[in-house]
Amino acid sequence: MFIERGKPEEIPKGAIRLTRDEVQEYMTDLIRKWPNTMELWALKHGNPILSSAVVLSSSVILNFYRKKLQLRNYGRFTLFLPIVLAPSIFNQIYQNTVTTKSIILQEDCPICINTQSMFIQVGTGIVYPLMSTIGGTYMFASKMSTFSLKSKGPDIVKEFALHVMKISRPLYNRLTAFVIGHVLLSYMISHYQMDNFEFLRIKMLQQQNEEIEILRLSEKNQL
């Protein structure tokens, strides 16, 4: 079955109308059951690859601050869940429900889809892990007395910010590399996902034309 977007007046007679949810469900099932994995590798495995990249950058960020604040093994699992595991899950969910959905439903332009994917990747792979790591590790550091603030009142915020900036300097180069890596990876994956989907649409159209030709020949032989 070949699926195409169209205005009500453009829909030919005998065509089956599908809702957006029905189209997404049908195409997702078709992609999952496609026999040749390499032909649709980006649609099948692209989002898990992006999620794995989030795990990598989140782990590096977390381990950096844990080492700087001398947390040793204290709170390792407690921090791992919200800082490493959670963003990787959110990344998978957002990439599936935003980027892949836009590709399947052909709702946005290619640049828009690339941009959506890049924002999701940087947000879940850099911004969220960095903010949550700073909050979580400093909280545990204050409990272990490996970090304490001497100032009082409004100066506490200034002292805290200066301390974070000071210990974060060695991480700047890695953060820059991670940002560039996430942007390039998400762009590449979303680009190939769109290529895979176009390949799939062509295959569906060819299959439909073959079925129509077989049906036409069958009717001709019966006459």
Side-chain angles (χ1 to χ4, degrees):
M1 179 174 67
F2 181 72
I3 298 177
E4 184 67 62
R5 286 174 60 90
K7 298 178 181 179
E9 61 271 14
E10 298 174 346
I11 298 176
K13 293 182 178 180
I16 301 174
R17 296 191 181 189
L18 299 175
T19 64
R20 295 167 72 253
D21 291 338
E22 288 173 336
V23 171
Q24 184 180 5
E25 182 180 355
Y26 175 81
M27 295 303 297
T28 301
D29 185 64
L30 181 62
I31 292 168
R32 186 172 60 253
K33 295 179 179 179
W34 195 258
N36 192 336
T37 301
M38 292 305 300
E39 290 179 345
L40 302 180
W41 71 268
L43 287 172
K44 281 177 171 284
H45 307 298
N47 292 343
I49 292 174
L50 294 175
S51 181
S52 299
V54 169
V55 171
L56 175 62
S57 59
S58 300
S59 299
V60 171
I61 292 171
L62 176 59
N63 289 333
F64 174 84
Y65 284 98
R66 285 186 60 85
K67 183 178 180 180
K68 285 293 183 180
L69 295 172
Q70 302 175 3
L71 295 183
R72 299 183 182 87
N73 291 323
Y74 186 69
R76 183 176 295 277
F77 183 72
T78 305
L79 291 173
F80 177 84
L81 291 177
I83 295 174
V84 178
L85 183 62
S88 67
I89 295 174
F90 289 142
N91 177 272
Q92 183 86 343
I93 293 173
Y94 289 141
Q95 293 288 5
N96 285 332
T97 58
V98 178
T99 306
T100 306
K101 184 178 180 180
S102 295
I103 293 172
I104 290 175
L105 298 180
Q106 305 172 62
E107 293 180 329
D108 298 308
C109 66
I111 295 178
C112 298
I113 293 173
N114 291 142
T115 304
Q116 289 172 355
S117 181
M118 287 187 286
F119 271 108
I120 293 171
Q121 196 65 21
V122 173
T124 56
I126 301 294
V127 178
Y128 172 81
L130 183 61
M131 296 297 101
S132 56
T133 296
I134 292 173
T137 52
Y138 272 88
M139 180 185 68
F140 278 104
S142 64
K143 289 183 178 180
M144 291 185 64
S145 299
T146 59
F147 168 76
S148 60
L149 294 170
K150 300 177 181 179
S151 303
K152 295 182 179 180
D155 291 335
I156 291 179
V157 177
K158 182 179 180 180
E159 182 184 355
F160 175 74
L162 289 174
H163 190 273
V164 172
M165 292 175 63
K166 180 181 178 181
I167 71 168
S168 298
R169 286 194 186 101
L171 185 63
Y172 289 165
N173 288 338
R174 274 177 279 182
L175 283 178
T176 302
F178 279 136
V179 170
I180 295 173
H182 279 303
V183 168
L184 292 178
L185 181 63
S186 59
Y187 177 85
M188 182 188 73
I189 293 295
S190 59
H191 173 76
Y192 281 111
Q193 284 177 334
M194 287 184 279
D195 281 353
N196 284 178
F197 187 72
E198 187 62 27
F199 168 83
L200 181 60
R201 291 181 70 250
I202 292 173
K203 284 291 185 180
M204 292 170 65
L205 181 59
Q206 290 175 349
Q207 183 180 0
Q208 178 177 273
N209 290 337
E210 290 173 1
E211 291 174 351
I212 292 174
E213 182 65 19
I214 292 172
L215 182 61
R216 186 183 66 81
L217 292 175
S218 177
E219 291 177 348
K220 184 178 180 181
N221 292 332
Q222 291 177 357
L223 296 177

